[in-house]
Amino acid sequence: MKTFKLENEPKIATGFKTPDHYFENFSLKMMQQLPESEPKVISIFQKRKNLIMMVAAVLVIALMIPILNYSTTSTSELDSTALENYITYQSNVNQYDLMSGLESEDINSLNTSITIADETIEDVLSENSNLENLILE
């Protein structure tokens, strides 16, 4: 194979040629071809900003649900039927446990004397066939 030397070979002329004084007037011609009004610029972060705000709002609402739920369900008053059912179905609660939970004012209000006629007591005892349980209670 022959050795190829770049400097010795004849050079081929390019097919492209710039017109005379082309680069001197280039900037003026380019500025005339540009539109006068600039296009509206839409920020990339504008859509992201709306998305971030929506995610933040959902996060705040999600964090507030347990707090609002706790504040609406926490009541210090007990339902009387729930308390009666609890005491009824708990076999280890006796009268002394109940009395220890009462204050002295409550105990004094329970000490009122109830007057029942003798005839009423006789009627209840005669109608009730389970006298042994009544005596034991």
Side-chain angles (χ1 to χ4, degrees):
M1 188 168 197
K2 287 201 248 174
T3 58
F4 180 74
K5 294 187 179 178
L6 190 60
E7 291 85 25
N8 296 340
E9 294 294 322
K11 299 201 185 223
I12 300 173
T14 63
F16 299 104
K17 197 172 169 189
T18 57
D20 294 334
H21 307 292
Y22 179 76
F23 290 108
E24 293 175 3
N25 297 329
F26 179 74
S27 62
L28 294 174
K29 288 180 184 177
M30 182 59 92
M31 291 304 285
Q32 289 173 356
Q33 291 178 358
L34 289 177
E36 291 180 13
S37 62
E38 294 183 12
K40 182 179 176 182
V41 177
I42 299 174
S43 175
I44 296 173
F45 299 108
Q46 184 177 6
K47 290 183 181 179
R48 285 189 182 173
K49 182 179 178 184
N50 291 339
L51 181 67
I52 290 171
M53 293 300 280
M54 285 190 282
V55 169
V58 168
L59 183 64
V60 167
I61 290 171
L63 291 175
M64 289 298 290
I65 287 174
I67 295 170
L68 294 175
N69 190 20
Y70 177 74
S71 66
T72 57
T73 58
S74 64
T75 57
S76 61
E77 297 180 18
L78 291 174
D79 186 20
S80 61
T81 56
L83 183 61
E84 288 177 13
N85 289 336
Y86 175 75
I87 292 172
T88 302
Y89 294 117
Q90 295 297 321
S91 62
N92 58 355
V93 177
N94 58 21
Q95 63 184 355
Y96 299 109
D97 292 334
L98 293 175
M99 289 175 65
S100 66
L102 296 175
E103 295 178 3
S104 61
E105 296 173 358
D106 297 331
I107 294 172
N108 290 336
S109 67
L110 291 174
N111 283 337
T112 58
S113 62
I114 300 172
T115 55
I116 300 175
D118 291 336
E119 295 173 357
T120 308
I121 295 173
E122 288 177 5
D123 289 339
V124 169
L125 291 176
S126 65
E127 291 173 3
N128 195 349
S129 62
N130 200 359
L131 292 176
E132 292 177 7
N133 285 341
L134 291 176
I135 293 172
L136 293 175
E137 289 180 1

